[in-house]
Amino acid sequence: MPVISSAGIGSNLPVDNIVSGLLAVERKPIDLLKTQNTQLQTSLSTFGKLQGSLATLRDAAAKLSRPDIWAATSASSSDSNAVSVTTTATASPGSYSIAVQSLAAAQLGASVAFASSSAVVGQGVLHIDLGTWDKDLGTFAAKTGGSTLDISIGAGEDTLEKVRDKINAAGAGITASIVNDASGARLAIKSSSTGVENGFRITVDDADGGGGDTSGLSALAYDPENGISSLAKKQSAANALATINGLEVNSATNTLTNVIDGLNVTLGKVTTSDVNISVTQDTASISKAITDYATAYSDVAKFLKEQTKYDAVSKASGALQGDRAATNLITQLRAALTGTSTAGVKYQRLADIGLDPAADGTIKVDSSKLTTALGSLADIKAMFADGSSDANQQGLAVRMRKLTDEAMGVDGALTARQDGLRRSITVNTKQQAQLEDRVANTEKRLRAQYTALDAKMAGLNGLSSYMTQQIAQFNKG
Protein backbone atom coordinates (compact mmCIF):
# COMPACT_ATOMS: atom_id res chain seq x y z
CA MET A 1 0.00 0.00 0.00
CA PRO A 2 1.53 3.38 -0.98
CA VAL A 3 2.18 5.91 1.85
CA ILE A 4 0.19 9.19 1.61
CA SER A 5 2.48 12.09 2.56
CA SER A 6 0.22 15.02 1.62
CA ALA A 7 -3.56 15.35 1.90
CA GLY A 8 -5.31 14.94 -1.46
CA ILE A 9 -2.55 13.19 -3.35
CA GLY A 10 -4.27 9.81 -3.28
CA SER A 11 -7.74 11.17 -4.03
CA ASN A 12 -6.78 14.19 -6.13
CA LEU A 13 -9.13 16.26 -3.96
CA PRO A 14 -8.31 19.84 -2.62
CA VAL A 15 -8.40 18.55 0.95
CA ASP A 16 -6.83 21.65 2.61
CA ASN A 17 -9.38 23.91 0.95
CA ILE A 18 -12.27 21.62 1.86
CA VAL A 19 -11.13 21.38 5.51
CA SER A 20 -10.53 25.14 5.76
CA GLY A 21 -13.99 25.84 4.40
CA LEU A 22 -15.65 23.46 6.81
CA LEU A 23 -13.68 24.89 9.76
CA ALA A 24 -14.62 28.45 8.77
CA VAL A 25 -18.26 27.46 9.23
CA GLU A 26 -17.38 25.87 12.58
CA ARG A 27 -15.61 29.07 13.70
CA LYS A 28 -18.52 31.45 13.05
CA PRO A 29 -19.87 31.09 16.63
CA ILE A 30 -16.36 31.86 17.94
CA ASP A 31 -16.17 35.01 15.82
CA LEU A 32 -19.52 36.12 17.21
CA LEU A 33 -18.30 35.48 20.76
CA LYS A 34 -15.16 37.51 20.10
CA THR A 35 -17.25 40.43 18.86
CA GLN A 36 -19.44 40.15 21.94
CA ASN A 37 -16.36 39.98 24.17
CA THR A 38 -14.99 43.19 22.65
CA GLN A 39 -18.32 44.91 23.25
CA LEU A 40 -18.40 43.66 26.86
CA GLN A 41 -14.85 44.88 27.47
CA THR A 42 -15.71 48.29 25.99
CA SER A 43 -18.81 48.56 28.19
CA LEU A 44 -16.82 47.61 31.29
CA SER A 45 -14.13 50.18 30.48
CA THR A 46 -16.79 52.82 29.86
CA PHE A 47 -18.43 52.12 33.21
CA GLY A 48 -15.01 52.49 34.82
CA LYS A 49 -14.65 55.97 33.28
CA LEU A 50 -18.21 56.82 34.33
CA GLN A 51 -17.40 55.80 37.88
CA GLY A 52 -14.41 58.16 37.88
CA SER A 53 -16.57 61.09 36.72
CA LEU A 54 -19.26 60.18 39.22
CA ALA A 55 -16.69 60.10 42.03
CA THR A 56 -15.70 63.67 41.14
CA LEU A 57 -19.35 64.71 41.32
CA ARG A 58 -19.76 62.92 44.66
CA ASP A 59 -16.72 64.73 46.09
CA ALA A 60 -18.01 68.09 44.86
CA ALA A 61 -21.42 67.40 46.43
CA ALA A 62 -19.82 66.22 49.67
CA LYS A 63 -17.81 69.44 49.87
CA LEU A 64 -20.98 71.52 49.63
CA SER A 65 -22.57 69.30 52.29
CA ARG A 66 -19.91 70.08 54.90
CA PRO A 67 -20.33 72.99 57.34
CA ASP A 68 -16.70 74.11 57.04
CA ILE A 69 -17.00 75.31 53.44
CA TRP A 70 -19.85 77.62 54.43
CA ALA A 71 -17.94 78.96 57.45
CA ALA A 72 -14.79 79.71 55.46
CA THR A 73 -13.34 83.19 55.90
CA SER A 74 -10.53 85.17 54.31
CA ALA A 75 -8.43 88.02 55.64
CA SER A 76 -6.81 91.01 53.99
CA SER A 77 -4.14 93.38 55.28
CA SER A 78 -3.52 96.99 54.36
CA ASP A 79 0.22 96.22 54.61
CA SER A 80 0.92 92.52 54.23
CA ASN A 81 4.68 93.10 54.45
CA ALA A 82 4.26 94.37 57.99
CA VAL A 83 1.35 92.17 59.13
CA SER A 84 0.04 89.17 57.23
CA VAL A 85 -2.97 87.15 58.34
CA THR A 86 -4.51 83.76 57.57
CA THR A 87 -7.77 82.41 58.95
CA THR A 88 -8.84 79.07 60.41
CA ALA A 89 -12.25 77.43 60.77
CA THR A 90 -13.01 79.33 64.01
CA ALA A 91 -12.46 82.80 62.58
CA SER A 92 -15.35 85.26 62.53
CA PRO A 93 -15.83 88.27 60.27
CA GLY A 94 -14.49 91.47 61.79
CA SER A 95 -11.81 94.14 61.58
CA TYR A 96 -8.66 94.81 63.59
CA SER A 97 -5.99 97.49 63.86
CA ILE A 98 -2.47 96.20 64.52
CA ALA A 99 0.68 98.22 65.20
CA VAL A 100 4.12 96.59 65.55
CA GLN A 101 6.57 98.21 67.99
CA SER A 102 9.33 95.57 67.73
CA LEU A 103 9.93 92.13 66.29
CA ALA A 104 10.95 88.99 68.11
CA ALA A 105 14.66 88.29 67.74
CA ALA A 106 17.19 85.61 68.56
CA GLN A 107 20.42 86.31 70.48
CA LEU A 108 23.42 86.49 68.18
CA GLY A 109 27.12 86.57 69.01
CA ALA A 110 30.30 86.46 66.94
CA SER A 111 33.82 85.33 67.73
CA VAL A 112 37.04 87.11 66.89
CA ALA A 113 38.37 86.52 63.40
CA PHE A 114 40.45 83.39 62.74
CA ALA A 115 42.78 82.90 59.81
CA SER A 116 40.44 80.36 58.19
CA SER A 117 37.71 77.85 58.98
CA SER A 118 40.40 75.20 59.52
CA ALA A 119 42.23 77.29 62.14
CA VAL A 120 42.57 75.69 65.60
CA VAL A 121 40.32 77.23 68.28
CA GLY A 122 41.23 75.12 71.29
CA GLN A 123 40.14 72.22 73.46
CA GLY A 124 37.99 71.92 76.54
CA VAL A 125 34.28 71.94 77.40
CA LEU A 126 31.58 74.43 76.39
CA HIS A 127 28.73 74.77 78.91
CA ILE A 128 25.52 76.04 77.24
CA ASP A 129 22.57 77.48 79.19
CA LEU A 130 19.37 78.97 77.75
CA GLY A 131 17.56 81.72 79.60
CA THR A 132 16.85 85.42 80.02
CA TRP A 133 19.31 88.28 80.35
CA ASP A 134 18.17 91.39 82.11
CA LYS A 135 18.34 94.71 80.30
CA ASP A 136 21.85 95.51 81.56
CA LEU A 137 23.15 91.96 81.02
CA GLY A 138 24.03 91.86 84.72
CA THR A 139 21.81 88.92 85.60
CA PHE A 140 21.01 85.69 83.81
CA ALA A 141 17.93 83.59 84.74
CA ALA A 142 18.02 80.04 83.42
CA LYS A 143 15.03 78.93 81.35
CA THR A 144 12.38 77.09 83.34
CA GLY A 145 12.80 73.36 82.87
CA GLY A 146 16.14 73.81 81.12
CA SER A 147 19.51 72.38 82.05
CA THR A 148 23.15 72.98 81.16
CA LEU A 149 24.34 71.13 78.08
CA ASP A 150 28.05 70.31 77.87
CA ILE A 151 29.92 70.05 74.57
CA SER A 152 33.38 68.50 74.80
CA ILE A 153 35.97 69.62 72.26
CA GLY A 154 38.89 67.23 72.10
CA ALA A 155 41.97 66.74 69.97
CA GLY A 156 41.12 66.70 66.28
CA GLU A 157 37.81 68.44 67.01
CA ASP A 158 39.22 71.86 67.81
CA THR A 159 39.23 73.59 64.41
CA LEU A 160 36.69 76.31 63.79
CA GLU A 161 34.62 74.23 61.37
CA LYS A 162 34.62 71.16 63.61
CA VAL A 163 33.62 73.20 66.66
CA ARG A 164 30.75 74.54 64.53
CA ASP A 165 29.70 70.98 63.65
CA LYS A 166 29.88 69.84 67.30
CA ILE A 167 27.66 72.73 68.41
CA ASN A 168 25.09 72.08 65.68
CA ALA A 169 24.97 68.37 66.45
CA ALA A 170 24.49 68.88 70.19
CA GLY A 171 20.92 70.25 70.06
CA ALA A 172 21.72 72.79 72.74
CA GLY A 173 19.25 75.40 71.52
CA ILE A 174 21.89 77.35 69.61
CA THR A 175 23.24 77.06 66.08
CA ALA A 176 26.64 77.97 64.70
CA SER A 177 27.83 79.11 61.30
CA ILE A 178 31.07 80.43 59.85
CA VAL A 179 31.14 83.90 58.31
CA ASN A 180 34.06 84.66 56.00
CA ASP A 181 35.07 88.20 55.08
CA ALA A 182 38.20 90.27 54.55
CA SER A 183 39.13 89.98 58.21
CA GLY A 184 39.05 86.15 58.21
CA ALA A 185 36.65 83.49 59.47
CA ARG A 186 34.38 84.15 62.44
CA LEU A 187 32.06 81.77 64.25
CA ALA A 188 28.53 83.20 64.55
CA ILE A 189 26.40 81.64 67.29
CA LYS A 190 22.65 82.24 67.36
CA SER A 191 19.73 81.08 69.48
CA SER A 192 17.67 78.49 67.64
CA SER A 193 14.46 80.25 68.69
CA THR A 194 13.45 83.87 69.13
CA GLY A 195 12.23 85.37 72.40
CA VAL A 196 13.84 86.77 75.55
CA GLU A 197 13.76 83.41 77.32
CA ASN A 198 15.84 81.83 74.54
CA GLY A 199 18.98 83.89 75.14
CA PHE A 200 22.13 81.91 75.87
CA ARG A 201 25.14 81.89 78.17
CA ILE A 202 28.38 80.08 77.30
CA THR A 203 30.96 79.30 79.96
CA VAL A 204 34.16 77.44 79.18
CA ASP A 205 36.47 74.96 80.86
CA ASP A 206 39.49 75.75 78.70
CA ALA A 207 42.24 73.16 78.35
CA ASP A 208 44.80 75.99 78.46
CA GLY A 209 43.71 76.78 82.03
CA GLY A 210 42.11 80.16 81.34
CA GLY A 211 38.34 80.32 81.07
CA GLY A 212 37.92 84.06 80.82
CA ASP A 213 40.52 85.18 78.31
CA THR A 214 40.22 85.40 74.56
CA SER A 215 42.69 82.63 73.71
CA GLY A 216 41.89 78.97 73.12
CA LEU A 217 38.32 77.77 73.49
CA SER A 218 37.63 80.74 75.80
CA ALA A 219 37.29 82.85 72.64
CA LEU A 220 33.72 81.49 72.48
CA ALA A 221 32.77 82.36 76.07
CA TYR A 222 29.84 84.69 76.74
CA ASP A 223 29.00 85.34 80.39
CA PRO A 224 28.66 89.11 80.98
CA GLU A 225 27.17 88.39 84.41
CA ASN A 226 30.70 87.43 85.40
CA GLY A 227 32.42 89.97 83.17
CA ILE A 228 33.28 87.58 80.34
CA SER A 229 32.27 88.58 76.80
CA SER A 230 34.90 87.04 74.52
CA LEU A 231 32.06 86.29 72.12
CA ALA A 232 30.85 89.71 71.02
CA LYS A 233 27.10 90.30 71.29
CA LYS A 234 25.61 91.38 67.97
CA GLN A 235 21.91 91.06 68.80
CA SER A 236 19.93 90.53 71.98
CA ALA A 237 17.14 88.01 72.36
CA ALA A 238 13.82 89.87 72.27
CA ASN A 239 10.07 89.38 72.20
CA ALA A 240 7.75 90.86 69.63
CA LEU A 241 5.73 93.82 70.89
CA ALA A 242 2.52 94.90 69.20
CA THR A 243 -0.89 96.37 69.90
CA ILE A 244 -4.14 94.91 68.58
CA ASN A 245 -7.07 97.29 68.76
CA GLY A 246 -5.07 99.19 71.36
CA LEU A 247 -4.32 96.11 73.50
CA GLU A 248 -0.61 95.40 74.08
CA VAL A 249 0.61 91.98 72.97
CA ASN A 250 3.93 90.35 73.85
CA SER A 251 5.13 87.25 71.99
CA ALA A 252 8.31 85.17 71.89
CA THR A 253 7.82 84.68 68.14
CA ASN A 254 6.66 86.82 65.26
CA THR A 255 3.72 84.50 64.67
CA LEU A 256 0.71 85.13 66.88
CA THR A 257 -1.51 82.05 66.90
CA ASN A 258 -3.64 82.40 70.02
CA VAL A 259 -4.11 86.14 70.27
CA ILE A 260 -7.25 86.44 68.09
CA ASP A 261 -9.63 83.48 67.73
CA GLY A 262 -9.30 81.86 64.32
CA LEU A 263 -6.47 84.09 63.09
CA ASN A 264 -2.78 83.44 62.53
CA VAL A 265 -0.98 86.77 62.53
CA THR A 266 2.60 87.07 61.28
CA LEU A 267 4.59 90.20 62.07
CA GLY A 268 7.03 91.21 59.36
CA LYS A 269 8.35 94.65 60.28
CA VAL A 270 7.96 97.55 62.70
CA THR A 271 5.18 99.95 61.71
CA THR A 272 4.75 103.68 62.13
CA SER A 273 0.95 103.51 61.90
CA ASP A 274 -1.79 100.94 62.34
CA VAL A 275 -2.21 98.14 59.83
CA ASN A 276 -5.87 97.43 59.12
CA ILE A 277 -6.94 93.78 59.04
CA SER A 278 -10.32 92.79 57.60
CA VAL A 279 -11.83 89.31 58.03
CA THR A 280 -14.76 88.54 55.75
CA GLN A 281 -16.82 85.56 54.65
CA ASP A 282 -14.89 83.74 51.93
CA THR A 283 -17.54 83.84 49.22
CA ALA A 284 -14.89 83.27 46.54
CA SER A 285 -14.14 79.75 47.79
CA ILE A 286 -17.85 79.02 48.16
CA SER A 287 -18.51 80.26 44.62
CA LYS A 288 -15.73 78.04 43.32
CA ALA A 289 -17.13 75.02 45.19
CA ILE A 290 -20.57 75.62 43.64
CA THR A 291 -19.08 76.12 40.17
CA ASP A 292 -16.98 72.96 40.57
CA TYR A 293 -20.16 71.10 41.48
CA ALA A 294 -21.86 72.34 38.31
CA THR A 295 -18.84 71.39 36.21
CA ALA A 296 -18.66 67.90 37.74
CA TYR A 297 -22.37 67.33 37.07
CA SER A 298 -22.05 68.59 33.48
CA ASP A 299 -19.10 66.27 32.84
CA VAL A 300 -21.15 63.25 33.98
CA ALA A 301 -24.17 64.35 31.94
CA LYS A 302 -22.11 64.87 28.75
CA PHE A 303 -20.35 61.52 29.18
CA LEU A 304 -23.62 59.63 29.67
CA LYS A 305 -25.24 61.35 26.71
CA GLU A 306 -22.31 60.45 24.47
CA GLN A 307 -22.16 56.83 25.60
CA THR A 308 -25.91 56.14 25.38
CA LYS A 309 -26.68 57.86 22.07
CA TYR A 310 -27.59 56.19 18.77
CA ASP A 311 -26.78 57.82 15.43
CA ALA A 312 -29.48 56.77 12.94
CA VAL A 313 -27.43 58.03 9.98
CA SER A 314 -24.21 56.16 10.71
CA LYS A 315 -26.08 53.47 12.66
CA ALA A 316 -23.39 53.75 15.33
CA SER A 317 -24.25 53.54 18.99
CA GLY A 318 -22.45 54.44 22.19
CA ALA A 319 -20.93 51.77 24.41
CA LEU A 320 -23.82 52.07 26.90
CA GLN A 321 -26.65 52.55 24.40
CA GLY A 322 -29.69 50.71 25.76
CA ASP A 323 -27.94 49.83 29.04
CA ARG A 324 -30.55 49.94 31.81
CA ALA A 325 -28.11 50.90 34.57
CA ALA A 326 -26.89 53.88 32.53
CA THR A 327 -30.37 55.09 31.53
CA ASN A 328 -31.66 54.74 35.11
CA LEU A 329 -28.71 56.80 36.35
CA ILE A 330 -29.51 59.55 33.83
CA THR A 331 -33.07 59.71 35.12
CA GLN A 332 -31.95 59.84 38.76
CA LEU A 333 -29.37 62.55 38.11
CA ARG A 334 -31.86 64.73 36.26
CA ALA A 335 -34.35 64.36 39.08
CA ALA A 336 -31.70 65.38 41.62
CA LEU A 337 -30.67 68.34 39.46
CA THR A 338 -34.15 69.76 38.91
CA GLY A 339 -35.49 68.94 42.37
CA THR A 340 -36.38 71.49 45.04
CA SER A 341 -35.49 71.81 48.70
CA THR A 342 -37.77 73.55 51.16
CA ALA A 343 -34.87 73.96 53.59
CA GLY A 344 -34.07 77.33 52.07
CA VAL A 345 -36.58 80.13 52.29
CA LYS A 346 -35.25 82.41 49.55
CA TYR A 347 -33.70 79.77 47.27
CA GLN A 348 -35.11 76.31 46.65
CA ARG A 349 -33.84 75.35 43.17
CA LEU A 350 -30.42 75.50 41.56
CA ALA A 351 -31.86 77.74 38.86
CA ASP A 352 -32.69 80.30 41.55
CA ILE A 353 -28.99 81.00 42.11
CA GLY A 354 -27.84 80.88 38.48
CA LEU A 355 -27.27 77.15 37.92
CA ASP A 356 -29.61 76.67 34.97
CA PRO A 357 -30.25 73.20 33.46
CA ALA A 358 -29.38 73.31 29.75
CA ALA A 359 -31.12 71.45 26.92
CA ASP A 360 -28.22 68.97 26.65
CA GLY A 361 -28.60 67.96 30.32
CA THR A 362 -25.65 69.99 31.60
CA ILE A 363 -25.64 73.00 33.94
CA LYS A 364 -25.06 76.51 32.62
CA VAL A 365 -23.68 78.83 35.31
CA ASP A 366 -24.86 82.44 35.39
CA SER A 367 -21.93 84.00 37.28
CA SER A 368 -23.65 87.34 37.82
CA LYS A 369 -26.75 85.70 39.28
CA LEU A 370 -24.64 83.43 41.48
CA THR A 371 -22.62 86.37 42.82
CA THR A 372 -25.83 88.18 43.74
CA ALA A 373 -27.23 85.09 45.43
CA LEU A 374 -24.08 84.70 47.54
CA GLY A 375 -25.20 87.82 49.36
CA SER A 376 -27.78 85.58 51.08
CA LEU A 377 -25.34 82.91 52.14
CA ALA A 378 -27.53 81.34 54.84
CA ASP A 379 -30.28 80.58 52.31
CA ILE A 380 -27.85 79.04 49.80
CA LYS A 381 -26.27 76.97 52.55
CA ALA A 382 -29.68 75.62 53.60
CA MET A 383 -30.58 74.76 50.00
CA PHE A 384 -27.35 72.79 49.51
CA ALA A 385 -26.32 71.47 52.88
CA ASP A 386 -29.37 70.91 55.10
CA GLY A 387 -29.12 67.37 56.45
CA SER A 388 -32.75 66.97 57.47
CA SER A 389 -34.23 63.48 57.51
CA ASP A 390 -37.22 64.95 55.65
CA ALA A 391 -36.55 64.28 51.96
CA ASN A 392 -38.22 67.54 50.95
CA GLN A 393 -36.03 69.59 53.26
CA GLN A 394 -32.77 67.82 52.50
CA GLY A 395 -30.16 69.98 50.81
CA LEU A 396 -29.64 69.38 47.09
CA ALA A 397 -25.94 68.60 47.57
CA VAL A 398 -26.83 66.15 50.36
CA ARG A 399 -29.19 64.34 48.01
CA MET A 400 -26.63 64.23 45.22
CA ARG A 401 -23.98 62.87 47.54
CA LYS A 402 -26.38 60.17 48.73
CA LEU A 403 -27.35 59.28 45.15
CA THR A 404 -23.75 58.95 43.96
CA ASP A 405 -22.71 57.05 47.08
CA GLU A 406 -25.49 54.54 46.52
CA ALA A 407 -24.70 54.16 42.81
CA MET A 408 -21.03 53.41 43.50
CA GLY A 409 -21.51 51.48 46.73
CA VAL A 410 -20.84 47.77 47.18
CA ASP A 411 -24.45 46.95 46.30
CA GLY A 412 -24.92 49.96 44.01
CA ALA A 413 -26.24 49.88 40.46
CA LEU A 414 -22.88 50.72 38.87
CA THR A 415 -21.00 48.18 40.94
CA ALA A 416 -23.58 45.48 40.20
CA ARG A 417 -23.47 46.26 36.48
CA GLN A 418 -19.68 46.09 36.38
CA ASP A 419 -19.72 42.80 38.27
CA GLY A 420 -22.27 41.45 35.78
CA LEU A 421 -20.10 42.50 32.84
CA ARG A 422 -17.07 40.80 34.37
CA ARG A 423 -19.04 37.57 34.81
CA SER A 424 -20.26 37.78 31.22
CA ILE A 425 -16.69 38.26 30.00
CA THR A 426 -15.57 35.21 32.00
CA VAL A 427 -18.39 33.06 30.58
CA ASN A 428 -17.71 34.33 27.06
CA THR A 429 -14.01 33.50 27.33
CA LYS A 430 -14.78 29.97 28.56
CA GLN A 431 -17.24 29.45 25.70
CA GLN A 432 -14.60 30.54 23.20
CA ALA A 433 -12.14 28.06 24.67
CA GLN A 434 -14.71 25.25 24.49
CA LEU A 435 -15.54 26.03 20.89
CA GLU A 436 -11.85 26.25 20.00
CA ASP A 437 -11.42 22.74 21.41
CA ARG A 438 -14.39 21.54 19.35
CA VAL A 439 -12.97 23.09 16.17
CA ALA A 440 -9.58 21.49 16.86
CA ASN A 441 -11.25 18.07 17.31
CA THR A 442 -13.30 18.59 14.15
CA GLU A 443 -10.17 19.43 12.17
CA LYS A 444 -8.43 16.37 13.55
CA ARG A 445 -11.40 14.16 12.63
CA LEU A 446 -11.72 15.62 9.11
CA ARG A 447 -8.04 15.24 8.37
CA ALA A 448 -8.11 11.67 9.63
CA GLN A 449 -11.08 10.89 7.35
CA TYR A 450 -9.47 12.45 4.31
CA THR A 451 -6.18 10.69 5.05
CA ALA A 452 -8.03 7.36 5.14
CA LEU A 453 -9.82 8.30 1.91
CA ASP A 454 -6.49 9.14 0.29
CA ALA A 455 -5.08 5.75 1.31
CA LYS A 456 -8.15 3.92 0.01
CA MET A 457 -8.17 5.82 -3.26
CA ALA A 458 -4.45 5.23 -3.70
CA GLY A 459 -5.01 1.47 -3.28
CA LEU A 460 -7.89 1.45 -5.74
CA ASN A 461 -5.89 3.46 -8.24
CA GLY A 462 -3.00 0.96 -7.93
CA LEU A 463 -5.38 -1.98 -8.42
CA SER A 464 -6.91 -0.27 -11.45
CA SER A 465 -3.46 0.19 -13.00
CA TYR A 466 -2.60 -3.43 -12.34
CA MET A 467 -5.81 -4.73 -13.94
CA THR A 468 -5.31 -2.47 -16.92
CA GLN A 469 -1.81 -3.88 -17.43
CA GLN A 470 -3.05 -7.47 -17.13
CA ILE A 471 -5.82 -6.95 -19.65
CA ALA A 472 -3.38 -5.36 -22.07
CA GLN A 473 -1.05 -8.39 -21.76
CA PHE A 474 -3.96 -10.78 -22.22
CA ASN A 475 -5.05 -9.03 -25.43
CA LYS A 476 -1.49 -9.27 -26.84
CA GLY A 477 -1.52 -13.04 -26.37
Side-chain angles (χ1 to χ4, degrees), residues 179-476:
V179 178
N180 292 285
D181 60 15
S183 63
R186 289 176 292 169
L187 191 68
I189 299 178
K190 184 179 182 181
S191 300
S192 300
S193 302
T194 58
V196 292
E197 67 174 4
N198 290 309
F200 61 81
R201 175 176 63 187
I202 303 176
T203 57
V204 180
D205 289 337
D206 200 332
D208 66 7
D213 55 26
T214 58
S215 63
L217 199 60
S218 299
L220 304 182
Y222 182 77
D223 184 14
E225 184 179 19
N226 293 300
I228 301 173
S229 297
S230 303
L231 190 76
K233 186 193 76 172
K234 298 299 180 181
Q235 179 174 279
S236 297
N239 283 354
L241 299 176
T243 57
I244 299 177
N245 289 348
L247 180 66
E248 293 184 354
V249 175
N250 188 309
S251 172
T253 71
N254 290 314
T255 300
L256 314 179
T257 56
N258 298 311
V259 175
I260 306 173
D261 286 342
L263 297 187
N264 293 321
V265 180
T266 301
L267 308 180
K269 67 178 183 179
V270 173
T271 63
T272 56
S273 60
D274 287 350
V275 175
N276 297 316
I277 302 299
S278 178
V279 180
T280 58
Q281 199 78 47
D282 188 5
T283 55
S285 66
I286 296 172
S287 178
K288 184 178 184 304
I290 293 174
T291 303
D292 288 346
Y293 173 78
T295 300
Y297 181 91
S298 296
D299 288 344
V300 173
K302 284 187 288 188
F303 184 80
L304 281 170
K305 182 179 180 181
E306 182 69 23
Q307 297 304 322
T308 56
K309 73 177 182 180
Y310 176 75
D311 190 328
V313 177
S314 64
K315 296 184 179 181
S317 59
L320 305 183
Q321 200 275 325
D323 189 283
R324 181 177 297 179
T327 54
N328 285 345
L329 181 60
I330 292 173
T331 301
Q332 292 172 329
L333 288 171
R334 286 176 179 170
L337 175 67
T338 58
T340 61
S341 171
T342 58
V345 176
K346 189 173 183 179
Y347 305 117
Q348 297 184 350
R349 301 177 305 153
L350 292 178
D352 293 340
I353 64 169
L355 272 63
D356 300 315
D360 60 358
T362 61
I363 299 177
K364 181 180 179 181
V365 179
D366 184 333
S367 299
S368 177
K369 194 173 181 180
L370 176 58
T371 299
T372 300
L374 286 170
S376 301
L377 206 57
D379 287 305
I380 295 183
K381 176 186 177 183
M383 184 186 70
F384 274 111
D386 194 289
S388 173
S389 58
D390 185 338
N392 292 324
Q393 288 191 330
Q394 272 188 350
L396 299 180
V398 174
R399 294 182 199 174
M400 185 63 75
R401 184 194 62 195
K402 182 179 180 181
L403 169 61
T404 50
D405 277 340
E406 289 176 350
M408 295 187 294
V410 175
D411 299 321
L414 259 64
T415 304
R417 185 68 182 105
Q418 288 174 299
D419 289 343
L421 287 169
R422 292 188 186 96
R423 287 193 296 269
S424 296
I425 290 170
T426 299
V427 171
N428 180 288
T429 302
K430 288 181 179 178
Q431 289 177 337
Q432 287 188 55
Q434 291 170 352
L435 290 178
E436 288 286 3
D437 289 341
R438 191 174 79 177
V439 169
N441 290 332
T442 298
E443 181 178 11
K444 183 177 180 182
R445 175 173 54 79
L446 288 172
R447 291 196 179 279
Q449 290 174 344
Y450 277 105
T451 298
L453 176 62
D454 273 355
K456 188 68 174 176
M457 293 298 294
L460 290 174
N461 288 336
L463 179 61
S464 176
S465 297
Y466 173 75
M467 292 300 297
T468 300
Q469 291 174 3
Q470 291 301 313
I471 291 170
Q473 290 295 328
F474 178 79
N475 289 334
K476 287 181 181 181

